[in-house]
Amino acid sequence: MVKQLRGLAGRGWSDLPKGGLLPKELWLRRHRGMVALLWLHAVGAIVYALIEGFGILHSFLEGGVVALAAVVASSPRGSERLRSCAVSFGLLSASAILVHISGGLIEMHFHFFLMVAVISLYQDWLPFLIAVGYVIVDHGLFGALAPHIIYNDPQAIAHPWKWALIHGGFVVGASIAQLIAWKANQDAFHDSLTRLPNRALLTDRIEHSLARALREGKKVAVLVLDVDGFKTVNDSLGPRVGDELLKAVAERLRTCFREADTPARLGGDEFAVLLEASDDLGASIAAGRILDSFQTPFSLGGKEVFATASIGIAVSTAGTRNGDELLRNADAAMYVAKGSGTGRFQFFAPSMHAALLHRLELQGELQRAVANREFHLQYQPMINLKSGRIVGMEALLRWDHPTRGIVPPMDFIPLAEESGLIVDIGLQVLEQASQQTHLWHQKFPSDPPLDISVNLSARQLQDADLVREVDAVLDRSGLRPESLILEITETALMRDVEIGVSRLNALKELGIRIAVDDFGTGYSSLSYLQRFPVDVLKIDRSFIKAIDKGPEESAVAHAVVKLGHTLGLYAVAEGVETAEQLHELTAMGCDRGQGYFFARPLWGVGMDALLSNRSREDAAQDDLTSRDASISA
């Protein structure tokens, strides 16, 4: 029972409007009206008292109380909240004075209810509670001590607490009505999840800030922020955890800025911040604070989740008049920042609108490409560095666009990752590579069979259906699991360690091997190598480029090969382009290599021809070796 009551109380509390100071421009507009109303009551109380036959001194004392509150409310030295409270006290005092002058006229009591409604326009709990409390004290306490001053009805004078309760009921009813209206108004301009201002309120504040900045010769900056990898968190850990992440981001934004600035949620995983009176330097410092705040992991559902942000910045110019324009510019800059990599910010440039339009067109074309199966594969052979024989291939994705021709992967892979289309594209890649490799196994049998390496994205690794889909592809294609190697980067592995370990272990149970791609460019942690079920280390081409220039240049590659062998893994060198590089890699015991020195990426037909030629050469070499052995015997 107690738990249920607590639950009801909690829900009731959450349904109340949050309150707080309005945006400065809006508060000033409403406050000016309130102060004017307050002065009107001060003068009106004096005139009414004189009309009712009160002396001049008495009349001015009555009106003076209200006038004093109006003076405090008008003073720019006081804080906004103090001035709001002064208005609340003054208007409710005016109600009490009017009741007193009227001799407790019952109808005059309704002035209290009207003033409570007026005070609710501040949408701030403190002045609102002062107003409600004033009514309770006036009607309850003073009504009991001196009922003839408060009421002119005999029944009310005889039973002051009863009438206080009646009037209190009216106040409660009026207060509830005002709270409902207040809450509805707040909900219309605030995000329901994070309680931050929404796009409509932010745009209004930007408009006022631009007008003020134009008058004062200052600038306004708007930042648009996107949470990188939010969809991955939402898909892998569930919508509830996704919502918790958004609320946690909102809390961090609140701590990063001045009181005059406005953080807001635009929708989804996009946030924005209005920086009052800020230039390029101030905006870059603010963006840096946001990115620094993301360095600390988020604690969500008992898990630590790392997230980064991409930020676009637009600073107003002399010709900027429109809040929507400033938001669009910041949004365009954000997408450029996101396309350049995660965890960075970018200032707006006019050319970005064309880039954003291109991005939108490209996303639509990507969706059609998935439906029309416009993705094809090239294959780059992997060579056993000891024997010189082809032992496998890496499948490399190519987009055969109907009008643009072959689109380079870096032109569309980041967008595919961000949009989630990479999951469907990755499945098509896996199907094509598995089917083709199975055909080559039948045409060019070897022991062990050729293996095929397929890249796995971070988004795919987070997909709950990954293991089931891989198993289904292997079953349909007939490819043996041990011939499939799935490559994933260090950064993708560390996106969510627990899910990564679980997925990779499940894939290993199918018989598949796991390779860490571009090893040495990410975390390169021995602890994660021991934790993840890894079979292969692929040395990034940046460490191979100068491997033949001296011991310092070759140190990293040598260390990776040694580390791999110590852990029972084999090493593959990427980007082998010269005989000198091959010599160094062979000398240090590297197991495999791939690169232009051996062969450029080939379409299926070209790879088929290469395998055919190599098969004949290997057969001839085996025959020659066999005859030499017979002669020696």
Side-chain angles (χ1 to χ4, degrees):
M1 184 66 179
V2 174
K3 190 175 181 180
Q4 290 175 333
L5 289 174
R6 285 179 179 173
L8 287 171
R11 284 194 295 274
W13 180 261
S14 65
D15 287 338
L16 289 173
K18 301 304 176 186
L21 291 175
L22 292 166
K24 190 167 186 178
E25 194 77 22
L26 180 59
W27 181 87
L28 276 173
R29 288 205 306 269
R30 294 189 179 181
H31 184 68
R32 289 192 193 107
M34 303 277 199
V35 172
L37 183 64
L38 199 53
W39 281 113
L40 185 63
H41 275 81
V43 174
I46 295 172
V47 172
Y48 184 38
L50 290 172
I51 292 172
E52 290 295 320
F54 287 86
I56 294 175
L57 179 61
H58 187 109
S59 299
F60 273 87
L61 284 174
E62 296 279 18
V65 174
V66 183
L68 181 60
V71 169
V72 174
S74 302
S75 173
R77 295 180 181 179
S79 67
E80 292 176 7
R81 182 154 281 144
L82 173 64
R83 293 158 71 187
S84 300
C85 292
V87 168
S88 180
F89 178 82
L91 288 178
L92 271 295
S93 294
S95 296
I97 289 167
L98 292 175
V99 168
H100 165 63
I101 294 172
S102 71
L105 188 67
I106 293 299
E107 288 78 2
M108 193 63 77
H109 286 263
F110 287 96
H111 191 277
F112 280 102
F113 312 144
L114 182 60
M115 291 303 101
V116 170
V118 169
I119 296 302
S120 71
L121 293 175
Y122 278 121
Q123 295 187 17
D124 190 357
W125 276 107
L126 187 56
F128 183 76
L129 290 176
I130 286 174
V132 173
Y134 196 113
V135 176
I136 293 171
V137 171
D138 181 79
H139 284 68
L141 182 61
F142 293 154
L145 295 175
H148 60 281
I149 298 177
I150 306 299
Y151 306 111
N152 70 344
D153 187 281
Q155 287 294 323
I157 294 172
H159 307 285
W161 282 107
K162 176 183 175 182
W163 280 73
L165 288 174
I166 292 172
H167 282 267
F170 280 114
V171 171
V172 169
S175 299
I176 290 173
Q178 294 307 316
L179 288 173
I180 291 172
W182 178 2
K183 180 71 162 59
N185 183 62
Q186 180 176 279
D187 289 345
F189 293 103
H190 288 78
D191 173 57
S192 60
L193 178 66
T194 63
R195 306 312 310 164
L196 290 175
N198 61 14
R199 181 185 288 270
L201 181 53
L202 177 69
T203 303
D204 180 69
R205 292 188 184 183
I206 294 173
E207 300 282 357
H208 290 297
S209 295
L210 285 172
R212 189 163 51 252
L214 186 64
R215 291 194 303 268
E216 298 173 358
K218 297 179 179 179
K219 293 183 177 181
V220 171
V222 171
L223 281 61
V224 170
L225 174 153
D226 183 86
V227 182
D228 301 322
F230 171 74
K231 192 174 188 304
T232 301
V233 173
N234 204 54
D235 292 346
S236 59
L237 300 179
R240 186 184 63 80
V241 176
D243 287 348
E244 290 299 317
L245 175 58
L246 294 176
K247 288 193 285 187
V249 169
E251 285 304 315
R252 292 198 183 176
L253 287 180
R254 287 187 177 99
T255 65
C256 287
F257 299 101
R258 303 166 298 180
E259 187 175 346
D261 300 327
T262 303
R265 184 184 176 205
L266 301 180
D269 60 341
E270 277 196 4
F271 295 81
V273 182
L274 166 63
L275 301 178
E276 299 271 3
S278 181
D279 55 11
D280 290 17
L281 178 60
S284 61
I285 292 173
R289 283 201 302 269
I290 296 174
L291 296 180
D292 288 343
S293 75
F294 273 71
Q295 296 298 313
T296 304
F298 294 89
S299 181
L300 306 172
K303 295 183 178 181
E304 282 195 343
V305 175
F306 286 88
T308 57
S310 297
I311 302 172
I313 304 172
V315 180
S316 65
T317 62
T320 307
R321 298 285 194 282
N322 189 286
D324 283 329
E325 177 189 347
L326 206 56
L327 268 174
R328 283 197 306 272
N329 292 346
D331 197 51
M334 182 273 290
Y335 278 110
V336 173
K338 201 172 187 69
S340 303
T342 60
R344 60 186 65 199
F345 64 85
Q346 180 73 50
F347 279 90
F348 170 76
S351 60
M352 290 178 180
H353 279 308
L356 181 57
L357 181 61
H358 171 72
R359 175 190 175 84
L360 293 173
E361 291 174 350
L362 185 64
Q363 183 168 342
E365 292 173 349
L366 264 178
Q367 291 172 329
R368 288 192 295 273
V370 171
N372 297 335
R373 303 187 74 86
E374 294 172 6
F375 299 101
H376 303 287
L377 300 180
Q378 287 189 317
Y379 300 89
Q380 187 169 43
M382 290 189 187
I383 309 299
N384 183 311
L385 298 188
K386 289 183 180 179
S387 66
R389 295 190 174 188
I390 298 175
V391 291
M393 301 79 60
E394 180 179 0
L396 302 172
L397 177 62
R398 301 291 184 262
W399 179 11
D400 188 8
H401 193 281
T403 58
R404 301 183 192 179
I406 301 300
V407 181
M410 286 311 298
D411 286 359
F412 67 89
I413 289 294
L415 180 57
E417 277 270 7
E418 181 189 330
S419 64
L421 289 170
I422 194 67
V423 174
D424 293 329
I425 295 171
L427 184 59
Q428 289 187 16
V429 169
L430 186 61
E431 287 177 341
Q432 288 186 45
S434 299
Q435 291 168 3
Q436 182 61 73
T437 305
H438 179 61
L439 292 175
W440 282 328
H441 282 176
Q442 295 175 321
K443 191 172 183 179
F444 308 108
S446 60
D447 187 21
L450 296 168
D451 51 48
I452 181 70
S453 293
V454 177
N455 287 283
L456 191 69
S457 73
R459 181 64 63 82
Q460 288 175 275
L461 186 62
Q462 302 296 323
D463 184 13
D465 295 327
L466 173 67
V467 178
R468 179 184 58 79
E469 288 176 345
V470 170
D471 190 30
V473 168
L474 291 173
D475 186 57
R476 288 194 299 270
S477 66
L479 183 69
R480 299 198 316 195
E482 57 269 23
S483 296
L484 176 61
I485 301 174
L486 294 178
E487 298 185 7
I488 187 163
T489 64
E490 298 172 88
T491 304
L493 282 173
M494 299 303 291
R495 181 77 60 87
D496 189 310
V497 174
E498 291 184 17
I499 288 179
V501 169
S502 174
R503 294 276 193 279
L504 295 186
N505 278 325
L507 290 169
K508 286 285 290 181
E509 289 178 5
L510 297 179
I512 294 166
R513 284 175 288 171
I514 305 298
V516 180
D517 198 14
D518 301 333
F519 186 78
T521 60
Y523 293 85
S524 304
S525 166
L526 180 60
S527 62
Y528 92 69
L529 279 180
Q530 292 175 317
R531 187 173 181 186
F532 287 106
V534 175
D535 302 283
V536 184
L537 298 182
K538 297 196 73 174
I539 310 170
D540 186 69
R541 64 183 65 249
S542 61
F543 302 120
I544 305 300
K545 188 178 297 183
I547 197 173
D548 56 333
K549 305 303 181 186
E552 290 186 5
E553 288 79 0
S554 65
V556 173
H558 193 278
V560 173
V561 171
K562 188 172 182 180
L563 174 63
H565 291 168
T566 301
L567 296 175
L569 317 176
Y570 68 84
V572 178
E574 298 182 290
V576 183
E577 297 182 353
T578 67
E580 290 77 16
Q581 291 172 350
L582 173 61
H583 176 76
E584 289 294 329
L585 290 165
T586 304
M588 67 178 62
C590 185
D591 302 284
R592 294 185 178 187
Q594 66 182 98
Y596 286 0
F597 180 75
F598 305 112
R600 290 176 175 271
L602 302 166
W603 294 108
V605 174
M607 191 68 206
D608 193 280
L610 179 62
L611 289 173
S612 181
N613 291 335
R614 286 298 184 98
S615 180
R616 287 195 296 270
E617 291 172 6
D618 291 345
Q621 181 63 42
D622 290 343
D623 184 55
L624 181 61
T625 303
S626 178
R627 276 186 289 168
D628 288 345
S630 298
I631 292 171
S632 299

